[in-house]
Amino acid sequence: MIPYINVPFDYVANLVGAPTDELKMIFLFLISYPLAGVLKRLPDHKPWTKNVFIISISIFYIVGLFDLWSGLALIVFDAVGAYLIAKYVEGPYMPWIGFSFLMGHMSISHIYRQMAATPSSVDITGAQMVMVMKLSAFCWNVFDGRQKASELNDDQKERMIVDLPAPLDFAGFVAFFPSIMIGPAFDYIDYHRWLNTSMFDLPPGTDPMKAPPTRKKRKIPRSATPAMWKMASGLLWVFAFLQFSNYFNKDVVLSDRYKNMGLLWRIFHLHMLSLVTRMKYYGAWSLTDGACTLSGIGYKGLDAKTGKPNWDRLINVRPAGVEFGQNSHAYLGNWNINTNHWLRNYMYLRVTPKGKKPGFRASMATFVTSAFWHGFYPGYYLTFVLASFIQNVAKNSRRLLRPFFMTPDNKPLPRKRYYDLLTWLVTQLTFSFCTAPFILLTIHDSMLVWSRVYFYCPVGVALCSLFLASPGKAWLAGKAGARSGKGGKPGLGRTDSMDSLKGGSTLGVPSEPGREFDELVEEIMVEVKMRRGSRAGPEGVELRRRVEASLVEKSEEMKKEL
Protein backbone atom coordinates (compact mmCIF):
# COMPACT_ATOMS: atom_id res chain seq x y z
CA MET A 1 0.00 0.00 0.00
CA ILE A 2 1.20 3.53 -0.73
CA PRO A 3 2.27 5.17 2.58
CA TYR A 4 -0.33 7.47 4.17
CA ILE A 5 -2.87 6.81 1.38
CA ASN A 6 -5.49 5.93 4.01
CA VAL A 7 -5.23 9.28 5.81
CA PRO A 8 -7.69 11.29 3.64
CA PHE A 9 -10.10 8.36 3.41
CA ASP A 10 -10.10 7.84 7.19
CA TYR A 11 -10.76 11.56 7.67
CA VAL A 12 -13.76 11.57 5.31
CA ALA A 13 -15.01 8.28 6.74
CA ASN A 14 -15.19 9.85 10.20
CA LEU A 15 -17.13 12.80 8.80
CA VAL A 16 -19.76 10.86 6.86
CA GLY A 17 -19.87 7.68 8.92
CA ALA A 18 -19.05 5.37 6.01
CA PRO A 19 -16.45 2.56 6.02
CA THR A 20 -13.04 3.60 4.73
CA ASP A 21 -12.89 0.81 2.15
CA GLU A 22 -16.22 1.84 0.64
CA LEU A 23 -14.94 5.41 0.18
CA LYS A 24 -11.76 4.06 -1.41
CA MET A 25 -13.87 2.03 -3.79
CA ILE A 26 -15.84 5.13 -4.83
CA PHE A 27 -12.52 6.93 -5.34
CA LEU A 28 -11.38 4.01 -7.52
CA PHE A 29 -14.51 4.31 -9.66
CA LEU A 30 -14.07 8.06 -10.10
CA ILE A 31 -10.34 8.07 -10.83
CA SER A 32 -11.00 5.45 -13.51
CA TYR A 33 -12.61 8.20 -15.62
CA PRO A 34 -9.53 10.38 -16.23
CA LEU A 35 -7.42 7.23 -16.50
CA ALA A 36 -9.85 5.82 -19.10
CA GLY A 37 -9.49 9.13 -20.96
CA VAL A 38 -5.71 8.64 -21.00
CA LEU A 39 -6.12 5.03 -22.13
CA LYS A 40 -8.34 6.11 -24.99
CA ARG A 41 -5.66 8.53 -26.21
CA LEU A 42 -2.80 6.03 -26.32
CA PRO A 43 -1.82 5.32 -29.95
CA ASP A 44 -4.03 2.74 -31.64
CA HIS A 45 -1.07 1.41 -33.68
CA LYS A 46 0.80 0.55 -30.44
CA PRO A 47 -1.60 -1.77 -28.57
CA TRP A 48 1.19 -2.92 -26.24
CA THR A 49 1.16 0.54 -24.62
CA LYS A 50 -2.52 0.13 -23.78
CA ASN A 51 -1.89 -3.31 -22.29
CA VAL A 52 0.99 -2.08 -20.13
CA PHE A 53 -1.03 0.95 -18.97
CA ILE A 54 -4.03 -1.23 -18.06
CA ILE A 55 -1.91 -3.71 -16.10
CA SER A 56 -0.07 -0.92 -14.25
CA ILE A 57 -3.29 0.80 -13.14
CA SER A 58 -4.84 -2.47 -11.94
CA ILE A 59 -1.75 -3.25 -9.86
CA PHE A 60 -2.04 0.24 -8.34
CA TYR A 61 -5.68 -0.39 -7.48
CA ILE A 62 -5.16 -3.82 -5.91
CA VAL A 63 -1.85 -3.21 -4.12
CA GLY A 64 -1.35 0.54 -3.87
CA LEU A 65 -4.90 1.35 -2.82
CA PHE A 66 -6.11 -1.77 -0.98
CA ASP A 67 -2.84 -3.55 -0.06
CA LEU A 68 -4.19 -6.84 -1.45
CA TRP A 69 -0.89 -8.55 -2.27
CA SER A 70 -2.45 -11.96 -1.74
CA GLY A 71 -5.39 -10.87 -3.90
CA LEU A 72 -3.03 -9.95 -6.73
CA ALA A 73 -1.43 -13.38 -6.43
CA LEU A 74 -4.86 -15.04 -6.59
CA ILE A 75 -5.82 -13.21 -9.79
CA VAL A 76 -2.46 -14.02 -11.43
CA PHE A 77 -2.85 -17.66 -10.38
CA ASP A 78 -6.36 -17.85 -11.88
CA ALA A 79 -5.30 -16.12 -15.10
CA VAL A 80 -2.18 -18.24 -15.65
CA GLY A 81 -4.05 -21.42 -14.76
CA ALA A 82 -6.90 -20.71 -17.20
CA TYR A 83 -4.45 -19.73 -19.97
CA LEU A 84 -2.41 -22.94 -19.55
CA ILE A 85 -5.54 -25.09 -19.44
CA ALA A 86 -6.84 -23.49 -22.64
CA LYS A 87 -3.45 -23.90 -24.33
CA TYR A 88 -2.44 -27.42 -23.36
CA VAL A 89 -5.61 -29.37 -22.54
CA GLU A 90 -7.29 -30.92 -25.57
CA GLY A 91 -10.69 -32.52 -25.97
CA PRO A 92 -14.27 -31.78 -24.94
CA TYR A 93 -13.53 -31.55 -21.21
CA MET A 94 -11.10 -28.61 -21.48
CA PRO A 95 -13.64 -25.84 -20.69
CA TRP A 96 -15.13 -27.89 -17.85
CA ILE A 97 -11.68 -28.39 -16.35
CA GLY A 98 -11.09 -24.63 -16.59
CA PHE A 99 -14.49 -23.89 -15.07
CA SER A 100 -13.95 -26.34 -12.18
CA PHE A 101 -10.49 -24.91 -11.48
CA LEU A 102 -11.80 -21.34 -11.35
CA MET A 103 -14.96 -22.08 -9.36
CA GLY A 104 -13.08 -24.28 -6.90
CA HIS A 105 -10.46 -21.63 -6.25
CA MET A 106 -13.08 -18.90 -5.85
CA SER A 107 -15.08 -21.08 -3.46
CA ILE A 108 -12.09 -21.20 -1.12
CA SER A 109 -11.96 -17.40 -1.17
CA HIS A 110 -15.71 -17.24 -0.42
CA ILE A 111 -15.22 -19.50 2.60
CA TYR A 112 -12.34 -17.37 3.90
CA ARG A 113 -14.42 -14.20 3.50
CA GLN A 114 -17.36 -15.79 5.28
CA MET A 115 -15.09 -16.83 8.16
CA ALA A 116 -13.61 -13.31 8.37
CA ALA A 117 -17.14 -11.82 8.69
CA THR A 118 -16.14 -8.29 7.60
CA PRO A 119 -18.68 -7.38 4.89
CA SER A 120 -17.76 -3.69 4.86
CA SER A 121 -14.11 -4.31 3.96
CA VAL A 122 -12.90 -4.89 0.41
CA ASP A 123 -11.25 -8.20 -0.39
CA ILE A 124 -10.48 -9.98 -3.64
CA THR A 125 -13.60 -12.15 -3.91
CA GLY A 126 -15.47 -9.51 -5.95
CA ALA A 127 -12.65 -9.38 -8.49
CA GLN A 128 -12.45 -13.18 -8.47
CA MET A 129 -16.15 -13.44 -9.29
CA VAL A 130 -15.51 -11.26 -12.34
CA MET A 131 -12.48 -13.39 -13.26
CA VAL A 132 -14.53 -16.59 -13.10
CA MET A 133 -16.94 -15.18 -15.69
CA LYS A 134 -14.22 -13.81 -17.98
CA LEU A 135 -11.81 -16.76 -17.78
CA SER A 136 -14.37 -19.59 -17.95
CA ALA A 137 -15.88 -17.87 -21.01
CA PHE A 138 -12.34 -17.59 -22.43
CA CYS A 139 -11.89 -21.37 -22.12
CA TRP A 140 -15.17 -21.97 -23.94
CA ASN A 141 -14.27 -19.47 -26.67
CA VAL A 142 -10.95 -21.25 -27.24
CA PHE A 143 -12.77 -24.58 -27.34
CA ASP A 144 -15.23 -23.21 -29.91
CA GLY A 145 -12.30 -22.09 -32.05
CA ARG A 146 -11.22 -25.74 -32.34
CA GLN A 147 -14.65 -26.96 -33.49
CA LYS A 148 -16.24 -27.12 -36.93
CA ALA A 149 -18.23 -24.01 -37.75
CA SER A 150 -21.27 -26.16 -38.52
CA GLU A 151 -21.38 -27.30 -34.88
CA LEU A 152 -21.59 -23.77 -33.47
CA ASN A 153 -24.45 -21.30 -33.20
CA ASP A 154 -24.10 -17.73 -34.43
CA ASP A 155 -23.12 -16.33 -31.03
CA GLN A 156 -20.42 -18.98 -30.58
CA LYS A 157 -19.03 -18.31 -34.05
CA GLU A 158 -18.82 -14.61 -33.30
CA ARG A 159 -16.96 -15.14 -30.01
CA MET A 160 -14.72 -18.10 -30.80
CA ILE A 161 -10.94 -17.73 -30.46
CA VAL A 162 -9.04 -19.50 -33.25
CA ASP A 163 -5.51 -18.41 -32.27
CA LEU A 164 -4.55 -18.17 -28.61
CA PRO A 165 -3.80 -14.51 -27.77
CA ALA A 166 -0.32 -13.29 -26.91
CA PRO A 167 0.33 -13.30 -23.13
CA LEU A 168 0.47 -9.49 -22.97
CA ASP A 169 -2.90 -9.12 -24.74
CA PHE A 170 -4.38 -11.75 -22.45
CA ALA A 171 -3.01 -9.99 -19.37
CA GLY A 172 -4.56 -6.70 -20.55
CA PHE A 173 -7.91 -8.46 -20.96
CA VAL A 174 -7.72 -9.92 -17.46
CA ALA A 175 -6.58 -6.68 -15.80
CA PHE A 176 -8.85 -4.19 -17.59
CA PHE A 177 -8.89 -1.62 -14.80
CA PRO A 178 -12.32 0.08 -15.20
CA SER A 179 -13.98 -3.28 -14.43
CA ILE A 180 -11.30 -5.15 -12.44
CA MET A 181 -13.01 -5.00 -9.04
CA ILE A 182 -16.75 -5.47 -9.66
CA GLY A 183 -17.17 -5.87 -13.42
CA PRO A 184 -18.75 -5.63 -15.88
CA ALA A 185 -17.36 -8.84 -17.32
CA PHE A 186 -16.91 -9.26 -21.06
CA ASP A 187 -15.49 -11.84 -23.48
CA TYR A 188 -11.95 -11.77 -24.85
CA ILE A 189 -13.18 -11.12 -28.38
CA ASP A 190 -14.66 -7.80 -27.19
CA TYR A 191 -11.29 -6.77 -25.77
CA HIS A 192 -9.44 -7.94 -28.88
CA ARG A 193 -11.70 -5.94 -31.18
CA TRP A 194 -11.40 -2.90 -28.94
CA LEU A 195 -7.61 -3.25 -28.87
CA ASN A 196 -7.22 -3.50 -32.65
CA THR A 197 -10.12 -1.00 -33.15
CA SER A 198 -12.06 -3.36 -35.46
CA MET A 199 -14.96 -2.90 -33.01
CA PHE A 200 -15.45 0.57 -34.49
CA ASP A 201 -15.58 -0.46 -38.16
CA LEU A 202 -18.82 0.49 -39.89
CA PRO A 203 -21.06 -2.41 -40.95
CA PRO A 204 -20.87 -3.23 -44.67
CA GLY A 205 -23.12 -0.98 -46.74
CA THR A 206 -23.24 1.81 -44.14
CA ASP A 207 -22.92 5.32 -45.50
CA PRO A 208 -19.48 6.67 -44.32
CA MET A 209 -21.16 10.01 -43.70
CA LYS A 210 -23.13 8.35 -40.89
CA ALA A 211 -19.97 7.34 -39.04
CA PRO A 212 -19.91 8.60 -35.42
CA PRO A 213 -17.63 11.62 -34.81
CA THR A 214 -14.07 11.01 -33.62
CA ARG A 215 -11.17 13.23 -32.58
CA LYS A 216 -8.01 13.57 -34.65
CA LYS A 217 -6.92 10.20 -36.05
CA ARG A 218 -8.56 8.01 -33.41
CA LYS A 219 -11.09 5.39 -34.51
CA ILE A 220 -12.83 5.32 -31.13
CA PRO A 221 -15.91 7.57 -31.35
CA ARG A 222 -16.44 10.41 -28.93
CA SER A 223 -17.91 8.99 -25.77
CA ALA A 224 -17.42 11.66 -23.11
CA THR A 225 -21.06 12.78 -23.04
CA PRO A 226 -22.68 9.35 -22.48
CA ALA A 227 -19.90 8.49 -20.02
CA MET A 228 -20.57 11.65 -18.00
CA TRP A 229 -24.29 10.90 -17.89
CA LYS A 230 -23.55 7.44 -16.53
CA MET A 231 -21.15 8.91 -13.99
CA ALA A 232 -23.74 11.49 -12.90
CA SER A 233 -26.44 8.84 -12.47
CA GLY A 234 -24.00 6.62 -10.59
CA LEU A 235 -23.08 9.42 -8.20
CA LEU A 236 -26.75 10.21 -7.61
CA TRP A 237 -27.41 6.59 -6.70
CA VAL A 238 -24.39 6.52 -4.37
CA PHE A 239 -25.49 9.78 -2.72
CA ALA A 240 -29.02 8.41 -2.28
CA PHE A 241 -27.60 5.22 -0.76
CA LEU A 242 -25.44 7.15 1.72
CA GLN A 243 -28.43 9.26 2.77
CA PHE A 244 -31.10 6.57 3.05
CA SER A 245 -28.89 3.81 4.47
CA ASN A 246 -28.88 5.67 7.80
CA TYR A 247 -32.62 5.07 8.07
CA PHE A 248 -33.16 1.80 6.23
CA ASN A 249 -30.64 -0.91 7.06
CA LYS A 250 -30.56 -4.40 8.47
CA ASP A 251 -30.03 -3.17 12.04
CA VAL A 252 -33.45 -1.52 11.88
CA VAL A 253 -35.36 -4.65 10.76
CA LEU A 254 -33.58 -6.72 13.41
CA SER A 255 -34.40 -4.26 16.21
CA ASP A 256 -37.23 -4.37 18.74
CA ARG A 257 -38.43 -1.02 17.39
CA TYR A 258 -39.20 -2.71 14.05
CA LYS A 259 -41.09 -5.50 15.81
CA ASN A 260 -43.36 -2.96 17.48
CA MET A 261 -44.27 -1.11 14.26
CA GLY A 262 -47.57 -1.68 12.49
CA LEU A 263 -47.59 -4.38 9.82
CA LEU A 264 -47.75 -1.96 6.87
CA TRP A 265 -44.80 0.02 8.27
CA ARG A 266 -42.84 -3.22 8.69
CA ILE A 267 -43.51 -4.19 5.07
CA PHE A 268 -42.55 -0.68 3.97
CA HIS A 269 -39.26 -0.83 5.89
CA LEU A 270 -38.50 -4.25 4.42
CA HIS A 271 -39.11 -2.91 0.93
CA MET A 272 -36.93 0.13 1.58
CA LEU A 273 -34.14 -2.09 2.92
CA SER A 274 -34.11 -3.90 -0.43
CA LEU A 275 -34.38 -0.68 -2.46
CA VAL A 276 -31.61 1.13 -0.57
CA THR A 277 -29.32 -1.88 -0.90
CA ARG A 278 -29.95 -1.91 -4.66
CA MET A 279 -29.00 1.79 -4.80
CA LYS A 280 -25.44 0.86 -3.88
CA TYR A 281 -25.24 -1.54 -6.81
CA TYR A 282 -26.96 0.87 -9.19
CA GLY A 283 -24.33 3.45 -8.31
CA ALA A 284 -21.31 1.16 -8.53
CA TRP A 285 -22.35 -0.52 -11.79
CA SER A 286 -23.31 2.79 -13.41
CA LEU A 287 -19.92 4.27 -12.50
CA THR A 288 -17.94 1.32 -13.88
CA ASP A 289 -20.11 1.23 -17.00
CA GLY A 290 -19.38 4.92 -17.55
CA ALA A 291 -15.61 4.38 -17.27
CA CYS A 292 -15.86 1.51 -19.77
CA THR A 293 -17.85 3.79 -22.07
CA LEU A 294 -15.20 6.50 -21.86
CA SER A 295 -12.47 3.99 -22.74
CA GLY A 296 -14.50 2.95 -25.80
CA ILE A 297 -15.04 -0.73 -24.98
CA GLY A 298 -18.74 -0.10 -24.21
CA TYR A 299 -19.41 0.66 -27.89
CA LYS A 300 -22.22 -1.50 -29.33
CA GLY A 301 -22.40 -0.09 -32.85
CA LEU A 302 -24.88 2.33 -34.35
CA ASP A 303 -28.43 2.37 -33.05
CA ALA A 304 -30.71 0.99 -35.76
CA LYS A 305 -33.39 3.62 -35.10
CA THR A 306 -31.44 6.79 -34.39
CA GLY A 307 -28.20 6.06 -36.23
CA LYS A 308 -26.28 7.34 -33.19
CA PRO A 309 -23.61 5.34 -31.30
CA ASN A 310 -24.99 2.87 -28.79
CA TRP A 311 -22.84 2.61 -25.64
CA ASP A 312 -24.72 -0.16 -23.84
CA ARG A 313 -22.51 -3.15 -24.69
CA LEU A 314 -21.46 -3.62 -21.05
CA ILE A 315 -24.50 -2.26 -19.23
CA ASN A 316 -25.06 -4.40 -16.14
CA VAL A 317 -28.29 -3.06 -14.68
CA ARG A 318 -31.33 -1.09 -15.80
CA PRO A 319 -32.73 0.50 -12.61
CA ALA A 320 -36.03 1.48 -14.25
CA GLY A 321 -36.50 -2.07 -15.50
CA VAL A 322 -36.05 -3.42 -11.97
CA GLU A 323 -38.00 -0.78 -10.07
CA PHE A 324 -40.94 -0.77 -12.47
CA GLY A 325 -40.86 -4.47 -13.33
CA GLN A 326 -44.34 -5.98 -13.38
CA ASN A 327 -43.26 -9.62 -13.35
CA SER A 328 -40.40 -11.71 -12.01
CA HIS A 329 -38.65 -12.15 -15.34
CA ALA A 330 -38.56 -8.42 -15.97
CA TYR A 331 -37.33 -7.79 -12.43
CA LEU A 332 -34.50 -10.36 -12.59
CA GLY A 333 -33.72 -9.89 -16.26
CA ASN A 334 -32.75 -6.24 -15.76
CA TRP A 335 -30.51 -7.02 -12.80
CA ASN A 336 -26.87 -8.18 -13.15
CA ILE A 337 -27.31 -8.49 -16.90
CA ASN A 338 -23.78 -9.69 -17.67
CA THR A 339 -24.08 -12.51 -15.15
CA ASN A 340 -27.33 -13.52 -16.88
CA HIS A 341 -25.44 -13.54 -20.18
CA TRP A 342 -22.63 -15.67 -18.74
CA LEU A 343 -24.98 -18.18 -17.09
CA ARG A 344 -27.02 -18.56 -20.26
CA ASN A 345 -24.20 -18.87 -22.81
CA TYR A 346 -21.62 -20.74 -20.75
CA MET A 347 -23.71 -22.99 -18.55
CA TYR A 348 -27.41 -23.24 -19.49
CA LEU A 349 -26.77 -23.89 -23.19
CA ARG A 350 -23.47 -25.76 -22.70
CA VAL A 351 -24.85 -28.61 -20.59
CA THR A 352 -27.58 -29.24 -23.17
CA PRO A 353 -26.72 -32.00 -25.69
CA LYS A 354 -26.68 -30.89 -29.33
CA GLY A 355 -30.06 -31.18 -30.99
CA LYS A 356 -32.00 -31.06 -27.71
CA LYS A 357 -33.80 -28.28 -25.89
CA PRO A 358 -32.53 -27.21 -22.45
CA GLY A 359 -34.41 -29.04 -19.71
CA PHE A 360 -34.17 -29.89 -16.05
CA ARG A 361 -30.46 -30.68 -16.05
CA ALA A 362 -29.62 -27.36 -17.72
CA SER A 363 -31.76 -25.42 -15.25
CA MET A 364 -30.37 -27.27 -12.24
CA ALA A 365 -26.76 -26.86 -13.40
CA THR A 366 -27.39 -23.13 -13.91
CA PHE A 367 -29.08 -22.82 -10.52
CA VAL A 368 -26.20 -24.53 -8.69
CA THR A 369 -23.58 -22.52 -10.59
CA SER A 370 -25.29 -19.21 -9.80
CA ALA A 371 -25.67 -20.13 -6.12
CA PHE A 372 -22.03 -21.26 -5.71
CA TRP A 373 -20.78 -18.24 -7.69
CA HIS A 374 -22.44 -15.88 -5.20
CA GLY A 375 -20.99 -17.66 -2.15
CA PHE A 376 -22.06 -19.90 0.70
CA TYR A 377 -24.07 -17.72 3.05
CA PRO A 378 -27.30 -19.63 3.87
CA GLY A 379 -29.36 -16.54 3.07
CA TYR A 380 -28.38 -16.75 -0.59
CA TYR A 381 -29.93 -20.20 -0.86
CA LEU A 382 -33.13 -19.17 0.91
CA THR A 383 -33.53 -16.46 -1.73
CA PHE A 384 -32.77 -18.74 -4.68
CA VAL A 385 -35.14 -21.52 -3.60
CA LEU A 386 -38.02 -19.14 -2.86
CA ALA A 387 -37.38 -17.23 -6.11
CA SER A 388 -37.70 -20.44 -8.14
CA PHE A 389 -41.23 -21.00 -6.81
CA ILE A 390 -42.08 -17.33 -7.31
CA GLN A 391 -41.03 -17.65 -10.97
CA ASN A 392 -43.36 -20.60 -11.47
CA VAL A 393 -46.36 -18.93 -9.82
CA ALA A 394 -45.76 -15.59 -11.56
CA LYS A 395 -45.45 -17.14 -15.01
CA ASN A 396 -48.64 -19.19 -14.69
CA SER A 397 -50.59 -16.40 -13.00
CA ARG A 398 -49.75 -13.96 -15.78
CA ARG A 399 -50.89 -16.39 -18.46
CA LEU A 400 -54.16 -16.99 -16.64
CA LEU A 401 -55.04 -13.45 -15.56
CA ARG A 402 -53.69 -11.08 -18.22
CA PRO A 403 -56.18 -12.09 -20.96
CA PHE A 404 -59.02 -10.67 -18.83
CA PHE A 405 -57.49 -7.21 -19.27
CA MET A 406 -56.85 -7.50 -23.01
CA THR A 407 -59.04 -7.57 -26.10
CA PRO A 408 -59.10 -10.76 -28.23
CA ASP A 409 -56.66 -9.11 -30.64
CA ASN A 410 -54.24 -8.47 -27.73
CA LYS A 411 -54.83 -4.76 -27.17
CA PRO A 412 -55.07 -3.37 -23.63
CA LEU A 413 -58.49 -2.57 -22.19
CA PRO A 414 -58.95 0.61 -20.10
CA ARG A 415 -58.94 -1.47 -16.93
CA LYS A 416 -55.49 -2.90 -17.71
CA ARG A 417 -53.92 0.06 -15.87
CA TYR A 418 -55.23 -1.49 -12.64
CA TYR A 419 -53.70 -4.84 -13.59
CA ASP A 420 -50.37 -3.13 -14.29
CA LEU A 421 -50.45 -1.31 -10.97
CA LEU A 422 -51.35 -4.45 -9.04
CA THR A 423 -48.72 -6.65 -10.71
CA TRP A 424 -46.07 -3.97 -10.14
CA LEU A 425 -46.95 -3.73 -6.44
CA VAL A 426 -47.04 -7.52 -6.00
CA THR A 427 -43.73 -7.97 -7.84
CA GLN A 428 -41.93 -5.31 -5.80
CA LEU A 429 -43.22 -6.48 -2.42
CA THR A 430 -42.60 -10.11 -3.30
CA PHE A 431 -38.97 -9.57 -4.17
CA SER A 432 -38.42 -7.23 -1.23
CA PHE A 433 -39.35 -10.20 0.95
CA CYS A 434 -37.51 -12.75 -1.18
CA THR A 435 -34.18 -10.89 -1.35
CA ALA A 436 -34.02 -10.00 2.36
CA PRO A 437 -31.89 -13.09 3.16
CA PHE A 438 -29.38 -11.91 0.54
CA ILE A 439 -28.82 -8.87 2.79
CA LEU A 440 -29.23 -10.54 6.19
CA LEU A 441 -27.08 -13.56 5.20
CA THR A 442 -27.90 -15.91 8.10
CA ILE A 443 -30.89 -18.23 8.52
CA HIS A 444 -31.59 -16.91 12.02
CA ASP A 445 -31.79 -13.26 10.97
CA SER A 446 -33.71 -14.09 7.79
CA MET A 447 -36.34 -16.14 9.59
CA LEU A 448 -36.64 -13.52 12.31
CA VAL A 449 -37.37 -10.74 9.83
CA TRP A 450 -39.63 -12.94 7.70
CA SER A 451 -41.64 -13.92 10.78
CA ARG A 452 -42.15 -10.25 11.65
CA VAL A 453 -44.08 -9.77 8.41
CA TYR A 454 -45.89 -13.10 8.89
CA PHE A 455 -44.15 -14.88 5.98
CA TYR A 456 -46.52 -13.12 3.59
CA CYS A 457 -44.58 -14.14 0.49
CA PRO A 458 -44.25 -17.94 0.97
CA VAL A 459 -47.84 -18.05 2.25
CA GLY A 460 -49.02 -16.32 -0.93
CA VAL A 461 -46.85 -18.55 -3.12
CA ALA A 462 -48.18 -21.67 -1.38
CA LEU A 463 -51.81 -20.61 -1.83
CA CYS A 464 -51.26 -19.80 -5.50
CA SER A 465 -49.43 -23.11 -6.02
CA LEU A 466 -52.35 -25.00 -4.47
CA PHE A 467 -54.74 -23.26 -6.82
CA LEU A 468 -52.53 -24.06 -9.83
CA ALA A 469 -52.58 -27.72 -8.78
CA SER A 470 -56.38 -27.72 -8.43
CA PRO A 471 -59.17 -27.99 -11.03
CA GLY A 472 -59.56 -24.24 -10.67
CA LYS A 473 -56.57 -23.73 -12.96
CA ALA A 474 -58.23 -25.58 -15.84
CA TRP A 475 -61.46 -23.64 -15.31
CA LEU A 476 -59.66 -20.28 -15.28
CA ALA A 477 -57.54 -21.30 -18.28
CA GLY A 478 -60.70 -22.07 -20.20
CA LYS A 479 -62.17 -18.66 -19.40
CA ALA A 480 -58.92 -16.89 -20.31
CA GLY A 481 -58.56 -18.89 -23.51
CA ALA A 482 -62.10 -18.06 -24.55
CA ARG A 483 -61.38 -14.35 -24.10
CA SER A 484 -58.11 -14.48 -26.02
CA GLY A 485 -59.59 -16.49 -28.87
CA LYS A 486 -57.14 -19.38 -28.47
CA GLY A 487 -59.68 -22.14 -28.08
CA GLY A 488 -59.43 -22.45 -24.32
CA LYS A 489 -55.64 -22.09 -24.20
CA PRO A 490 -54.43 -18.75 -22.84
CA GLY A 491 -51.24 -17.42 -24.37
CA LEU A 492 -49.03 -14.40 -24.65
CA GLY A 493 -47.21 -13.06 -27.65
CA ARG A 494 -43.44 -12.93 -27.31
CA THR A 495 -43.52 -9.16 -27.32
CA ASP A 496 -45.99 -9.15 -24.47
CA SER A 497 -43.81 -10.94 -21.99
CA MET A 498 -40.40 -10.41 -20.54
CA ASP A 499 -39.96 -14.12 -21.17
CA SER A 500 -38.58 -12.93 -24.46
CA LEU A 501 -35.42 -12.30 -22.47
CA LYS A 502 -33.24 -15.12 -23.72
CA GLY A 503 -32.70 -18.17 -21.58
CA GLY A 504 -34.97 -20.46 -19.60
CA SER A 505 -33.78 -19.20 -16.25
CA THR A 506 -32.68 -15.80 -15.00
CA LEU A 507 -29.69 -15.53 -12.65
CA GLY A 508 -29.92 -19.30 -12.35
CA VAL A 509 -33.46 -19.23 -10.94
CA PRO A 510 -35.56 -21.96 -12.63
CA SER A 511 -38.55 -20.40 -14.36
CA GLU A 512 -40.89 -23.37 -13.86
CA PRO A 513 -39.66 -25.84 -11.23
CA GLY A 514 -42.88 -27.86 -11.55
CA ARG A 515 -42.37 -28.42 -15.27
CA GLU A 516 -38.70 -29.13 -14.71
CA PHE A 517 -39.57 -31.79 -12.11
CA ASP A 518 -41.73 -33.47 -14.77
CA GLU A 519 -38.81 -33.30 -17.20
CA LEU A 520 -36.56 -34.92 -14.59
CA VAL A 521 -39.09 -37.74 -14.17
CA GLU A 522 -39.21 -38.22 -17.96
CA GLU A 523 -35.41 -38.36 -18.19
CA ILE A 524 -35.22 -40.95 -15.39
CA MET A 525 -37.93 -43.04 -17.07
CA VAL A 526 -35.99 -43.07 -20.34
CA GLU A 527 -32.80 -44.01 -18.46
CA VAL A 528 -34.59 -46.85 -16.61
CA LYS A 529 -35.95 -48.29 -19.86
CA MET A 530 -32.53 -48.12 -21.53
CA ARG A 531 -30.81 -49.92 -18.66
CA ARG A 532 -33.59 -52.48 -18.30
CA GLY A 533 -33.44 -53.43 -21.96
CA SER A 534 -35.78 -56.31 -22.82
CA ARG A 535 -36.43 -57.32 -19.22
CA ALA A 536 -39.97 -56.99 -17.89
CA GLY A 537 -40.89 -54.13 -15.59
CA PRO A 538 -43.45 -51.44 -14.91
CA GLU A 539 -44.44 -49.20 -17.81
CA GLY A 540 -46.34 -45.98 -18.41
CA VAL A 541 -48.27 -44.56 -15.48
CA GLU A 542 -46.98 -47.15 -13.00
CA LEU A 543 -43.33 -46.43 -13.88
CA ARG A 544 -43.94 -42.69 -13.55
CA ARG A 545 -45.62 -43.19 -10.16
CA ARG A 546 -42.68 -45.22 -8.83
CA VAL A 547 -40.10 -42.71 -10.10
CA GLU A 548 -41.98 -39.78 -8.52
CA ALA A 549 -42.37 -41.66 -5.23
CA SER A 550 -38.64 -42.49 -5.20
CA LEU A 551 -37.68 -38.86 -5.83
CA VAL A 552 -39.98 -37.61 -3.06
CA GLU A 553 -38.57 -40.24 -0.65
CA LYS A 554 -34.97 -39.24 -1.47
CA SER A 555 -35.76 -35.54 -1.01
CA GLU A 556 -37.31 -36.25 2.41
CA GLU A 557 -34.19 -38.19 3.45
CA MET A 558 -31.99 -35.25 2.39
CA LYS A 559 -34.16 -32.82 4.41
CA LYS A 560 -33.74 -35.00 7.54
CA GLU A 561 -29.96 -35.13 7.03
CA LEU A 562 -29.82 -31.32 6.70
Side-chain angles (χ1 to χ4, degrees), residues 161-181:
I161 300 172
V162 177
D163 298 316
L164 211 63
L168 185 60
D169 289 352
F170 178 74
F173 158 69
V174 171
F176 193 73
F177 68 83
S179 65
I180 182 71
M181 297 302 288

Side-chain angles (χ1 to χ4, degrees), residues 126-164:
Q128 250 189 312
M129 292 168 76
V130 178
M131 289 302 111
V132 167
M133 289 193 286
K134 293 173 73 171
L135 296 175
S136 61
F138 174 80
C139 290
W140 276 110
N141 298 150
V142 172
F143 173 79
D144 291 339
R146 298 170 181 171
Q147 309 307 305
K148 296 178 180 178
S150 59
E151 297 178 356
L152 306 175
N153 61 34
D154 291 340
D155 188 69
Q156 291 164 356
K157 291 176 186 176
E158 181 186 354
R159 301 189 171 276
M160 67 180 182
I161 300 172
V162 177
D163 298 316
L164 211 63

Side-chain angles (χ1 to χ4, degrees), residues 467-487:
F467 176 81
L468 293 173
S470 73
K473 178 184 177 181
W475 172 80
L476 190 59
K479 294 287 187 181
R483 283 193 58 85
S484 61
K486 295 183 180 291

Side-chain angles (χ1 to χ4, degrees), residues 304-315:
K305 294 181 179 179
T306 65
K308 296 180 179 180
N310 184 330
W311 293 100
D312 289 344
R313 176 183 291 275
L314 299 182
I315 190 171

Side-chain angles (χ1 to χ4, degrees), residues 497-509:
S497 173
M498 284 303 295
D499 294 345
S500 59
L501 290 165
K502 293 182 179 179
S505 58
T506 311
L507 285 178
V509 178

